[in-house]
Amino acid sequence: MAIAGTILGRLLKAALTLLAIAVLNFFLIHAAPGDPAAVLAGEAGAADEQMIADLRAQFGLDQPLYVQLYRYVGNILTLDLGYSFRQGAPVLDLILERLPATLILTLTAFWISLLAGVALGVAASARVGKFTDSLITGTALLFYATPLYWAALMAVLVFSVQLGWLPGFGYETVGSGYGGFDRAIDILKHLILPALTLGLFFMAVYMRMTRASMLEVAQQDFVKTARAKGLAPSVIRRRHILRNALLPVVTLAGLQAGQLVGGAVLTETVFAWPGIGRLMFESLAARDYNTILGVFLVSALMVIIFNIITDIVYRLIDPRIGQKA
């Protein structure tokens, strides 16, 4: 019941937050320089004033800003994200078409970074001051300081171009005709490089957080009591230290899970991964307002969902939080 109440409360807050984000994004997009009607008219080779005026009327851009906002919010409430005249399709259809690819990439990168980061953090904390600790922390610092786009380009250059181990671009092999298990394996091969590249930075963050948290919890009185009772070191580390040390890591993971969507913009662009991050990049260049707003809204929704899941996991790890609430 406590978890159900938490979910209901979070959903109500999420709805208000999402509405506020939608309104804020609307004003930010319309404050940016550029006119989508002028861009389309220029690409058509007929950028005269009459054609631009006709396109603005067709897009509804000739209406006052408050009228456009009223229509936009009203459409959102009916799950209508508008029409992309640039892509020639409803925005919701475009996003739903590309959303699975982004979810596959971000969720894979998230679990790789979280599991590997926690495992390396535990290993480093168990060997403080030794060579293993220095090696792990040094490698994590390197990954943390490496720009995402540079790591993506180097991954393509080394593992795809030079070594030929993995495909460097795309979601699957074009024209392969694979189906079933063979298609899944093909997608997995294309997923490895972008998922690892996207997850390296966050893996370094989780590793450092886990290591620091493990060392801090190890000095707590309840851990000293467990040692005094004669419990095995492995039991103390697993049941007492790790469980409590995971609380700040889970909090950080929930907050940064949404950042994976932002990182996916660069990753999907470099690796030609057909997700909503790449769709947003293409829409920005084309001044496709409706598509940009739709992607922003869906991205915000994903962040909110990640945060709700984090709250639930937090309470499962430490039930005392629900009792305090």
Side-chain angles (χ1 to χ4, degrees), residues 6-205:
T6 299
I7 295 176
L8 180 59
R10 290 297 183 182
L11 289 177
L12 293 176
K13 294 178 182 178
L16 296 176
T17 302
L18 198 61
L19 180 60
I21 291 174
V23 173
L24 179 61
N25 285 337
F26 177 87
F27 284 115
L28 289 177
I29 288 296
H30 283 76
D35 187 342
V39 173
L40 285 177
E43 292 179 351
D48 58 274
E49 294 184 1
Q50 182 58 46
M51 183 174 184
I52 294 177
D54 292 341
L55 288 174
R56 287 182 61 84
Q58 183 179 4
F59 297 162
L61 298 176
D62 59 335
Q63 299 295 322
L65 194 60
Y66 70 88
V67 175
Q68 297 182 47
L69 176 61
Y70 176 78
R71 291 179 177 176
Y72 174 65
V73 174
N75 289 336
I76 287 178
L77 297 177
T78 61
L79 299 181
D80 180 8
L81 300 183
Y83 188 85
S84 172
F85 293 92
R86 173 75 178 181
Q87 302 283 347
V91 172
L92 184 59
D93 292 347
L94 292 173
I95 293 177
L96 291 179
E97 179 183 353
R98 300 202 182 196
L99 185 59
T102 294
L103 289 177
I104 291 174
L105 174 60
T106 54
L107 290 177
T108 302
F110 175 76
W111 284 112
I112 288 176
S113 62
L114 183 60
L115 296 178
V118 170
L120 291 174
V122 171
S125 67
R127 297 167 178 82
V128 178
K130 298 182 180 179
F131 174 76
T132 303
D133 180 30
S134 300
L135 178 63
I136 294 175
T137 53
T139 304
L141 181 61
L142 176 63
F143 289 154
Y144 182 81
T146 302
L148 181 59
Y149 67 89
W150 187 87
L153 291 174
M154 289 302 100
V156 172
L157 180 63
V158 173
F159 296 103
S160 181
V161 177
Q162 295 294 332
L163 299 177
W165 290 354
L166 296 167
F169 304 101
Y171 181 74
E172 56 185 320
T173 304
V174 178
S176 62
Y178 291 140
F181 182 74
D182 292 335
R183 182 169 183 261
I185 294 298
D186 185 48
I187 294 175
L188 179 61
K189 291 180 180 179
H190 285 78
L191 175 65
I192 292 175
L193 285 183
L196 287 177
T197 302
L198 184 57
L200 283 180
F201 171 83
F202 298 95
M203 180 188 70
V205 175

Side-chain angles (χ1 to χ4, degrees), residues 138-290:
T139 304
L141 181 61
L142 176 63
F143 289 154
Y144 182 81
T146 302
L148 181 59
Y149 67 89
W150 187 87
L153 291 174
M154 289 302 100
V156 172
L157 180 63
V158 173
F159 296 103
S160 181
V161 177
Q162 295 294 332
L163 299 177
W165 290 354
L166 296 167
F169 304 101
Y171 181 74
E172 56 185 320
T173 304
V174 178
S176 62
Y178 291 140
F181 182 74
D182 292 335
R183 182 169 183 261
I185 294 298
D186 185 48
I187 294 175
L188 179 61
K189 291 180 180 179
H190 285 78
L191 175 65
I192 292 175
L193 285 183
L196 287 177
T197 302
L198 184 57
L200 283 180
F201 171 83
F202 298 95
M203 180 188 70
V205 175
Y206 301 145
M207 191 288 297
R208 294 173 64 86
M209 174 63 75
T210 302
R211 178 183 180 276
S213 185
M214 290 281 291
L215 294 178
E216 180 181 357
V217 174
Q219 302 302 319
Q220 299 297 320
D221 291 337
F222 69 90
V223 177
K224 296 178 181 178
T225 302
R227 291 196 183 103
K229 291 180 178 180
L231 294 178
S234 60
V235 175
I236 295 175
R237 182 170 298 275
R238 184 178 66 255
R239 294 184 181 180
H240 297 275
I241 300 179
L242 179 59
R243 182 168 183 176
N244 289 276
L246 282 179
L247 294 177
V249 178
V250 169
T251 302
L252 181 65
L255 294 175
Q256 292 192 329
Q259 296 182 17
L260 285 168
V261 179
V265 176
L266 287 174
T267 307
E268 291 180 1
T269 301
V270 173
F271 290 99
W273 189 263
I276 62 173
R278 188 181 176 194
L279 176 64
M280 181 171 63
F281 180 80
E282 296 169 350
S283 301
L284 284 170
R287 301 295 190 276
D288 191 350
Y289 284 171
N290 288 338

